[in-house]
């Protein structure tokens, strides 16, 4: 097989895998992970069940791939935040990024969070997630310390918990009635003042 043919085959394979993952993700959102069958995923992806099994061993394997993509995305986001050097810009980036994800990917997270927090699944993510969040919390602690904030570690944990609480309220309690825009502006204003020592 020539390098060109090998490259073409790899592109076709990757396109098929991405198509299947996209179909599975859409169905997990629409129907719920527990209610989706491999047959439904294959039909949505417009492929045979046999071809799907050529790439994935089953629904759990598909979920693992989705989780891996989540972890990659979270690592990329955390790296962007970690690379910000100005304290105000760093905190602003954390707040804006969180609210952007809430707006743009709310259906995905609303559906996938109950699935990935199940003990058997969350254990697979635990080490990677802890590494990401520990790095962010340590970095945020240093940022607050540099800005002269009292109890910088506590402030870092508080901001993280606040972001998580906002997500839970938005996804599972208030939905579209939740004042996301007002909260974002309030938090940006609050932390801008805190970091300026006002």
């Amino acid at each position: 097989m020539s390098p060109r043919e090998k490259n073409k085959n790899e592109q076709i394979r990757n396109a098929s895998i991405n198509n299947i993952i996209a179909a599975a993700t859409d169905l997990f959102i629409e129907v719920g992970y527990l209610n989706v069958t491999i047959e439904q995923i294959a039909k949505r992806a417009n492929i045979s069940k046999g071809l799907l099994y050529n790439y994935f061993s089953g629904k759990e394997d598909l979920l693992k791939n989705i989780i891996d993509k989540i972890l990659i995305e979270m690592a990329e986001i955390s790296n962007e935040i970690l690379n910000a050097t100005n304290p105000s810009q760093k905190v602003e980036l954390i707040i804006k990024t969180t609210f952007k994800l809430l707006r743009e990917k709310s259906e995905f997270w609303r559906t996938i969070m109950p699935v990935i927090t199940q003990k058997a699944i969350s254990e697979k993510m635990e080490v990677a997630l802890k590494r990401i969040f520990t790095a962010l919390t340590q970095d945020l602690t240093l940022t607050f310390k540099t800005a002269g904030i009292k109890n910088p570690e506590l402030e870092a944990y508080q901001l993280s918990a606040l972001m998580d609480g906002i997500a839970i309220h938005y996804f599972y309690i208030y939905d579209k009635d939740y004042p996301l825009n007002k909260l974002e502006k309030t938090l940006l204003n609050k932390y801008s003042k805190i970091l300026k020592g006002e």
Side-chain angles (χ1 to χ4, degrees), residues 137-198:
T137 303
Q138 288 173 345
D139 185 60
L140 195 52
T141 299
L142 184 60
T143 298
F144 285 138
K145 187 176 181 179
T146 303
I149 305 297
K150 289 182 181 179
N151 300 316
E153 185 179 36
L154 203 57
E155 191 69 44
Y157 279 117
Q158 184 177 318
L159 179 57
S160 298
L162 187 58
M163 295 292 101
D164 291 343
I166 288 169
I168 290 167
H169 279 193
Y170 180 56
F171 292 151
Y172 305 115
I173 300 171
Y174 298 105
D175 195 24
K176 303 297 179 200
D177 295 329
Y178 202 58
L180 272 185
N181 292 338
K182 287 181 182 176
L183 268 173
E184 181 178 16
K185 286 178 186 173
T186 300
L187 287 174
L188 287 168
N189 187 44
K190 174 186 174 180
Y191 277 96
S192 172
K193 287 180 178 177
I194 287 173
L195 290 165
K196 287 176 184 172
E198 294 178 16

Side-chain angles (χ1 to χ4, degrees), residues 9 18 36 39-40 48 51-52 57 63 72 85 100 125 144 147 149 155 158 169 198:
N9 286 344
N18 289 335
V36 174
E39 290 81 4
Q40 288 172 310
S48 70
L51 182 59
L52 190 150
S57 61
L63 181 61
I72 289 167
T85 53
K100 183 179 179 195
M125 296 181 68
F144 285 138
I149 305 297
E155 191 69 44
Q158 184 177 318
H169 279 193
E198 294 178 16

Side-chain angles (χ1 to χ4, degrees), residues 19-20 22-28 30-49 52-53 59 62:
N19 178 41
I20 295 165
T25 303
D26 288 346
L27 282 166
F28 292 164
E30 292 168 23
V31 184
Y33 174 76
L34 297 175
N35 299 320
V36 174
T37 65
I38 287 295
E39 290 81 4
Q40 288 172 310
I41 296 169
K43 186 176 180 183
R44 175 66 65 95
N46 203 22
I47 59 168
S48 70
K49 199 164 84 168
L52 190 150
Y53 279 119
K59 200 165 71 166
L62 271 162

